Amino acid sequence: MGTRPLELLHLFGDLNNISGIGPKTINNLKNISIEKPRDFLFTLPFSVLDRVPVKSVRGIKSSQIVTVEVLVKSHKIGRTRTSAYRINVLDAEVSFQLVFFNARKQYLETLLPVGERRIISGKLEFYDDVPQIVHPHHVRKITDNETIVRFEPVYPLTSGVSQKLMFGTVDVLLKNLPELGEWIDPNLLKERNWPSWRDSLYAAHRPKSANGASTTDPARLRLSFDELFSHQLSLSIARNKIKKSRGIMNIPTGILSKKVLSYLSFSFTKDQKLSITDILEDLKKPERMNRLLQGDVGSGKTIVSLLAAINTINSGFQVAFMAPTEILARQHFNLAKKLFPKNINIALISGKSEYKVKKEILQRLENNKIDIIFGTHAIFQKKVIFKKLGLIIIDEQHKFGVNQRKKLSDKGGSNCDVLLMTATPIPRTLTMTIYGDMDISIIREKPKNRKPIKTYSKLEVKIEDVLKFIRKEINLGNQIFWVCPLIEESKKLDHSSAVKKYEYLESKFPNQVCLLHGKTDVDEKNEILNNFLNNKFKILVSTTIIEVGIDFPNANTIIIENANKFGLSQLHQLRGRVGRGDKDSTCILMFKSNLSENAKKRIKILKDTNDGFLISEEDMKLRGFGDILGFKQSGVKNFKLADPIQNSDLFLLAEKEMRRIEKSNEDISKFKPLIKLYDRADIINDIA
């Protein structure tokens, strides 16, 4: 079994070793994600052409693809090179024409010589009720050994890559497929009636019916399962390697936790309590903690993470709390200052801090004079040295893949406990795909003092009604977010511009409007957000860069323009910028009248529920895996054959098989070819 992966080496070689593929074609193939010979095999046909064999085209009334034997009768050359070149042919019963444009006479006379028989395959069409085939797909001699395939696979293409190239290359690879040992449990194979891996590839690429490209085909289901199974196995191996890492045993007295809890004016939800229990149990264990705290916007994750921090400090260790932006780091820092006892040394490392202040902070950190430090990713720079780091908390890093998380946490030390937080509620299949190497705690409930956000939809032509509503809210002392998709006018995209909207609203509400967009520099951005937080402006016009997690308790209204241009999960995240205080909050979705059915569905779902997990499930049904909040750009390895949403039953089956293997301590060496085939080995190697 140990030598099996060597049999796969030719599938991972250079493409230029394949006949007919040169540097230009290699570059073109990258557009359809083909970079190794293996990728040809995993680029499955998306449809099947049925080249129906007929004796004669007589009686065929509508356009269809046919394969028919004909006798070439005569050639009729067009008046010019670009006009039609017609060849009269006779099948078993009737005459019809083959038509070519931009034809070369000598080539066609050689291909279809008068008086000889040929087998033709192409689309039969009708011009003035006369049957004809324009540019036949295939022309074969009767004596040719190479027959025309009845059920022809149709592959996804890109400029410079033809069906002929795809078909021919796959043909060569199929003929040289290695015989690999079976990695799927025999009982499961029998139960599902799945063919072997080798037979599955043959069946998927050389269909025997017009339905051969169906996603319910047993061969395709088996290949999709293989991919999901390999992913689960690699995460299982990664998880076990992480758990074997020695962690820090935090044995807190609980005194500081009690002090913190005494400052709180609210009681924890059931989910918060369960999450706290999970985390504290992890901290006590000698193994390294590697946990994700996942919760909807406004569900109270930060206070749970701060309790984990205080318990770590209580045990004599330091804590690093990383946030994606400076303003969010400062928000967490201020909350900790408010909650933690005075004898806890708290620091914030900021881009604005003077050199002298930074130097002092770094010295105190190295001498164990700081218990918890807040900041952006800068707190993991080489010059930042901890004396006794015990816990890293990373907020809102939902776009990190397994390898990135590992590298980031290693900067804090190989035995440091890690707690990730995300306010991105995602379905279980996606959670397991992205965070399968981690233990997971979920907070679904929201604190009782949080009121549900009322969501309305409004046509853009009714903007005066919206302005009237805003004026009323401002008079009540409330603030408003106004979100636009783009910063500047675009001729191609029918979106409102943030700049234009700012100017419009400033004319309606003088000196009460501020503007934030992607081109605003960091210092100016922080100043604008701080001014808005301190109520110096009533309306903040922004593109979608207003961060997840930032707390503006006085902002209770958000208007989202061109709401149909956003995904459901993104709309829910934007809506979560309000409703963070105890006031009634409102979200107004504005749109033009020409909504697609899909857009109408999205807006209805958002109006019907405030449950982020339910919304993300619906979003993934509408948009598919990999496209939620930019996960395609996240470093998460894409799937070539499977879709964890469309194939959710296979995903759960793969997870079940993985758990069975973990429980029985089964030898994993037989899975090495599978893990190699689907490029999951790098996850394991990196963690090793």
Side-chain angles (χ1 to χ4, degrees), residues 177 430 533:
L177 276 181
L430 186 52
L533 185 64

Side-chain angles (χ1 to χ4, degrees), residues 46-246:
F46 64 85
S47 67
V48 178
L49 284 181
D50 185 355
R51 298 197 173 279
V52 184
V54 296
K55 286 186 176 179
S56 173
V57 300
R58 183 194 288 277
I60 296 175
K61 302 293 184 188
S62 59
S63 297
Q64 72 172 69
I65 290 173
V66 296
T67 303
V68 61
E69 184 180 325
V70 298
L71 174 67
V72 181
K73 298 293 288 179
S74 64
H75 285 231
K76 186 180 179 183
I77 304 166
R79 287 192 303 275
T80 66
R81 172 76 186 271
T82 55
S83 57
Y85 186 119
R86 301 179 185 276
I87 301 175
N88 294 309
V89 295
L90 173 68
D91 65 21
E93 297 181 27
V94 295
S95 294
F96 63 98
Q97 289 184 332
L98 308 179
V99 182
F100 297 85
F101 294 94
N102 293 310
R104 287 180 289 131
K105 178 174 178 286
Q106 188 177 354
Y107 168 74
L108 289 178
E109 285 178 342
T110 304
L111 183 69
L112 292 150
V114 175
E116 290 197 18
R117 306 190 75 81
R118 292 288 185 268
I119 296 174
I120 307 295
S121 188
K123 190 171 186 181
L124 184 74
E125 297 174 299
F126 296 87
Y127 183 73
D128 288 341
D129 293 329
V130 176
Q132 62 180 28
I133 295 177
V134 179
H135 288 278
H137 304 144
H138 300 286
V139 178
R140 296 280 188 273
K141 293 179 182 179
I142 304 298
T143 55
D144 272 0
N145 292 327
E146 185 188 351
T147 56
I148 294 172
V149 176
R150 163 76 190 265
F151 298 106
E152 184 180 301
V154 181
Y155 292 97
L157 302 177
T158 186
S159 176
V161 177
S162 65
Q163 290 290 345
K164 185 179 180 182
L165 174 80
M166 293 294 295
F167 188 91
T169 307
V170 168
D171 221 41
V172 171
L173 292 169
L174 287 175
K175 285 169 185 171
N176 291 285
L177 276 181
E179 286 283 1
L180 300 176
E182 184 56 72
W183 44 73
I184 296 181
D185 183 83
N187 296 323
L188 182 56
L189 273 182
K190 188 177 178 183
E191 178 193 319
R192 296 278 171 155
N193 195 28
W194 285 343
S196 68
W197 173 76
R198 207 163 180 269
D199 290 346
S200 294
L201 279 172
Y202 267 101
H205 285 284
R206 298 296 174 258
K208 293 183 177 177
S209 76
N211 296 320
S214 167
T215 53
T216 59
D217 180 74
R220 288 190 175 230
L221 290 174
R222 189 250 149 87
L223 293 171
S224 294
F225 175 80
D226 280 347
E227 185 171 31
L228 293 168
F229 189 34
S230 73
H231 185 75
Q232 292 288 349
L233 284 167
S234 63
L235 288 175
S236 171
I237 295 165
R239 198 162 46 240
N240 288 333
K241 283 183 182 292
I242 290 167
K243 284 188 175 178
K244 284 177 184 175
S245 302
R246 299 298 295 175

